[in-house]
Amino acid sequence: MLSKKITKEELLIVTAAREIKDHDVCVLGVGMPILAGALAKHTHAPAAVLLMESGIVDFEPVVLPINVADATCTRGYGYATDLFSVFTAITYAGYVNKAFLGVGQIDKYGNINTSYLGMPPEAQRITAAGGAPEFYAYARETILTMKGKGFVEKLPYRTSAGFMGGGDERERSGRYTPGSGPSVLITSKGIFKFHKETKEMYLDALFPGITMDDVRADIPWDLQVADKIQSFPVPDDEEIDFLRRFSPPSSFPNQVATQLSLEHFRRQAMAETLK
């Protein structure tokens, strides 16, 4: 049950969090994936095992980390290992159920670019690959999130392979965990899934207030659509209350969050001056 107004940012985080189930082993990137993991662990998936590529395993976030090696963000963790072991003894060995990855650009088969916009040497560097190629290759399932309008017909640079050219090409390559690949892409306009056989992306749900034309305007190919368009999940008060305690700025657009933070610091400084 929800008794308060929510923001677009909160709805997106809750939608991502609902993808995590109890007892899942999830590797998380910084940003929305950590927010989703923290929310899931606090609410419906307390036994989920969260880890970051730096080697912090089975942690419970207490604040939003500033990078994947920020151990101070946790309330404790099961154990710590090294980056190499996360890729080999955990991910490659098949222990990761789900990977949460942010996307810079994506094509219709879920191939992603998180490295460059354009082609080197003129290309603009974005977030870089990090552990994305390994996690995308070996996690049994990958949930993708994308903030911008990153749909492209052809990637200028492929950081990580999704379903490659579609169909069973990923399986036939023999390079990846059988049955793995992207399962869902969550954006501020809709939720996209991948056809069971063709592996082509299709629209499954519309964000509140968004029309089909709004979505199609961002996509350079003939987008496939589910027979029945779904709705985004409805958050409840517990989820929203937790998010606003855990990371208040994350509940608002960047500009609003910055203004609120500055106002908070201003009030703190004024209070110190009056003492």
Side-chain angles (χ1 to χ4, degrees), residues 53 92 95 206 251 258:
E53 66 183 80
Y92 184 75
Y95 291 108
L206 280 172
S251 293
T258 300

Side-chain angles (χ1 to χ4, degrees), residues 202-252:
Y202 67 89
L203 179 66
D204 184 68
L206 280 172
F207 193 87
I210 297 296
T211 68
M212 198 76 70
D213 287 341
D214 293 331
V215 175
R216 291 189 186 278
D218 296 337
I219 297 177
W221 66 83
D222 184 16
L223 177 67
Q224 302 300 304
V225 178
D227 293 336
K228 182 180 180 181
I229 293 294
Q230 305 297 318
S231 300
F232 271 60
V234 178
D236 59 38
D237 282 345
E238 182 184 9
E239 291 169 317
I240 299 304
D241 288 343
F242 172 80
L243 282 176
R244 292 179 183 180
R245 290 195 309 269
F246 177 70
S247 179
S250 300
S251 293
F252 302 95

Side-chain angles (χ1 to χ4, degrees), residues 1-2 4 6 10-11 13-19 35-36 38-40 42-45 233-247 251:
M1 181 177 177
L2 184 65
K4 59 193 70 179
I6 62 170
E10 289 170 332
L11 181 52
I13 296 165
V14 169
T15 300
R18 297 277 183 93
E19 294 291 326
L35 291 165
L39 176 59
H42 176 78
T43 54
H44 63 276
V234 178
D236 59 38
D237 282 345
E238 182 184 9
E239 291 169 317
I240 299 304
D241 288 343
F242 172 80
L243 282 176
R244 292 179 183 180
R245 290 195 309 269
F246 177 70
S247 179
S251 293

Side-chain angles (χ1 to χ4, degrees), residues 142-274:
T142 302
I143 289 85
L144 303 172
T145 61
M146 185 170 70
K147 291 183 178 180
K149 301 176 181 179
F151 297 100
V152 294
E153 185 75 50
K154 181 178 175 58
L155 293 173
Y157 187 96
R158 189 176 78 179
T159 306
S160 309
F163 292 116
M164 303 173 79
D168 65 350
E169 185 174 344
R170 181 182 174 97
E171 294 288 316
R172 285 189 291 106
S173 73
R175 300 171 184 169
Y176 309 106
T177 298
S180 64
S183 60
V184 61
L185 167 68
I186 301 169
T187 78
S188 59
K189 290 188 177 180
I191 298 174
F192 302 83
K193 295 186 177 180
F194 296 84
H195 189 276
K196 184 177 180 180
E197 295 179 356
T198 68
K199 306 302 183 185
E200 183 173 338
M201 184 189 301
Y202 67 89
L203 179 66
D204 184 68
L206 280 172
F207 193 87
I210 297 296
T211 68
M212 198 76 70
D213 287 341
D214 293 331
V215 175
R216 291 189 186 278
D218 296 337
I219 297 177
W221 66 83
D222 184 16
L223 177 67
Q224 302 300 304
V225 178
D227 293 336
K228 182 180 180 181
I229 293 294
Q230 305 297 318
S231 300
F232 271 60
V234 178
D236 59 38
D237 282 345
E238 182 184 9
E239 291 169 317
I240 299 304
D241 288 343
F242 172 80
L243 282 176
R244 292 179 183 180
R245 290 195 309 269
F246 177 70
S247 179
S250 300
S251 293
F252 302 95
N254 289 340
Q255 185 176 1
V256 174
T258 300
Q259 291 174 344
L260 290 173
S261 297
L262 290 173
E263 178 62 19
H264 172 69
F265 293 135
R266 186 188 69 79
R267 290 179 179 178
Q268 280 189 321
M270 185 176 293
E272 288 295 325
T273 302
L274 295 175

